[in-house]
Amino acid sequence: MKIIKPNKLQKGDTIGILAVSGKIKEYEKIQNAASYFEMCGFKVVISDTCKTSHRYMAGNSDDDCVKELHSFFANEDIKAILCARGGFGTIRLLDKIDWNIIAKNPKIFAGYSDITILLAAIYKKTGLITFHSPMANGDFGSDLENYTIQSFYDTLQGISKEFIAPNPVFYNTGKAKGILWGGNLSSLCSLCGLDFIPDSDIILFAEDLNEPVYKIDRMLTQLFNIKEFAKNVKGIALGDFLNIENSEILNEIIMEFALKFNIPVVKGFKITHDKLKDTVPVGIEAEFDAESAKIKLLDSYVI
């Protein structure tokens, strides 16, 4: 696959805030995010789907969301697309997306949670590097942590070279190389049955929240039951699994996978639904050192 690198984010660029997942319940948070970016020297465009909804999803319909997605990529003035929020809805869009529009108009595309589905699908279908990052509604529209802000700009401007787990939990040590790829675990699992697994070695990163331990076990098992997935994953860098009922059992489950597949696994990276989070490029070659709990990026990911 030919990798496409987007242009780095620069002051004066236009950032498009795009809602294609859950409906926006508090539009003032989107306005807060827009005001923040304008204060920082950026221009902002907000999608119409931030103001409309159907059931629990953004936009008047799935077609509305796809239309806005296409429009934001095709708009030459928009240099970066920041998703408004997660929730649910992006899996419904995949069979309607014209991937050629994205491939011909590469730019920063960023988000997390349910947006993981689009991060993975865009990379698989086009080769465009995407970004697992904070979003407009829950992050930039609320109280922001300085760490999160710094990581966001450092990564989107091409400065970030490595990610370190500050309080690591080691399950299996060693080193591995592969593309850095992953996101929200339950969202990744919703792609099962589709063509979504990269054709290369993978350093998987994953996080989730409000999932019972048995469901995390089931989701990891579901993914590793895919032969191509199990063959390609060379290491696992885990973020937070928030609001779980039994961390001891979760540790047992993770250890079982680490030893069964004999791959390095470390938990404790700032990949999370929590406030302190790293912005991570998806699809770039990286080295995972499970002895120092460090991910080192081996190539540039923006131009």
Side-chain angles (χ1 to χ4, degrees), residues 4 70 72-76 78 81 99-108 128:
I4 303 174
H70 288 163
F72 270 43
F73 268 101
N75 187 333
E76 294 181 359
I78 295 176
I81 299 171
W99 304 105
N100 287 326
I101 293 176
I102 296 174
K104 291 177 180 178
N105 299 279
K107 61 189 65 177
I108 289 168
L128 176 63

Side-chain angles (χ1 to χ4, degrees), residues 91-112:
I91 194 69
R92 297 164 58 99
L93 311 180
L94 296 189
D95 63 343
K96 301 176 176 66
I97 294 173
D98 184 339
W99 304 105
N100 287 326
I101 293 176
I102 296 174
K104 291 177 180 178
N105 299 279
K107 61 189 65 177
I108 289 168
F109 184 86
Y112 74 106

Side-chain angles (χ1 to χ4, degrees), residues 6-9 73 79-82 106-110 128-131 156-157 302:
N7 289 322
K8 64 183 178 182
L9 185 67
F73 268 101
K79 304 302 181 183
I81 299 171
L82 180 66
K107 61 189 65 177
I108 289 168
F109 184 86
L128 176 63
I129 299 293
T130 55
F131 296 88
L156 297 188
Q157 292 171 357
V302 291

Side-chain angles (χ1 to χ4, degrees), residues 70-235:
H70 288 163
S71 174
F72 270 43
F73 268 101
N75 187 333
E76 294 181 359
D77 292 332
I78 295 176
K79 304 302 181 183
I81 299 171
L82 180 66
C83 290
R85 61 157 296 185
F88 173 77
T90 58
I91 194 69
R92 297 164 58 99
L93 311 180
L94 296 189
D95 63 343
K96 301 176 176 66
I97 294 173
D98 184 339
W99 304 105
N100 287 326
I101 293 176
I102 296 174
K104 291 177 180 178
N105 299 279
K107 61 189 65 177
I108 289 168
F109 184 86
Y112 74 106
S113 194
D114 189 55
I115 303 302
T116 293
I117 291 166
L118 286 175
L119 303 182
I122 288 172
Y123 178 75
K124 177 67 177 182
K125 296 293 186 180
T126 71
L128 176 63
I129 299 293
T130 55
F131 296 88
H132 189 272
S133 88
M135 295 188 285
N137 186 77
D139 296 289
F140 292 101
S142 303
D143 294 331
L144 268 174
E145 296 284 349
N146 287 333
Y147 181 94
T148 302
I149 295 171
Q150 192 66 51
S151 180
F152 179 80
Y153 288 123
D154 282 353
T155 299
L156 297 188
Q157 292 171 357
I159 298 170
S160 296
K161 302 299 180 185
E162 63 182 25
F163 302 99
I164 301 172
N167 297 297
V169 179
F170 299 93
Y171 299 93
N172 202 20
T173 57
K175 296 182 179 181
K177 289 184 180 179
I179 63 162
L180 191 55
W181 181 90
N184 179 252
L185 182 60
S186 55
S187 296
L188 286 174
C189 281
S190 70
L191 287 164
C192 289
L194 300 174
D195 181 19
F196 75 105
I197 301 169
D199 300 320
S200 59
D201 291 344
I202 297 168
I203 304 301
L204 173 69
F205 67 90
E207 62 81 40
D208 222 315
L209 85 164
N210 298 332
E211 294 288 354
V213 173
Y214 79 89
K215 286 191 176 181
I216 296 171
D217 187 353
R218 182 169 66 192
M219 289 186 287
L220 287 171
T221 301
Q222 184 178 13
L223 287 172
F224 275 93
N225 277 344
I226 303 171
K227 291 182 179 179
E228 183 183 10
F229 185 90
K231 177 176 71 72
N232 290 358
V233 173
K234 304 302 179 185

Side-chain angles (χ1 to χ4, degrees), residues 6 19 26 30 57 77-78 90 113 207 215 221 238 259 280-282 284 289:
E26 299 174 88
I30 302 299
M57 295 169 286
D77 292 332
I78 295 176
T90 58
S113 194
E207 62 81 40
K215 286 191 176 181
T221 301
L238 296 173
L259 298 180
V280 178
V282 176
I284 200 65
D289 186 341

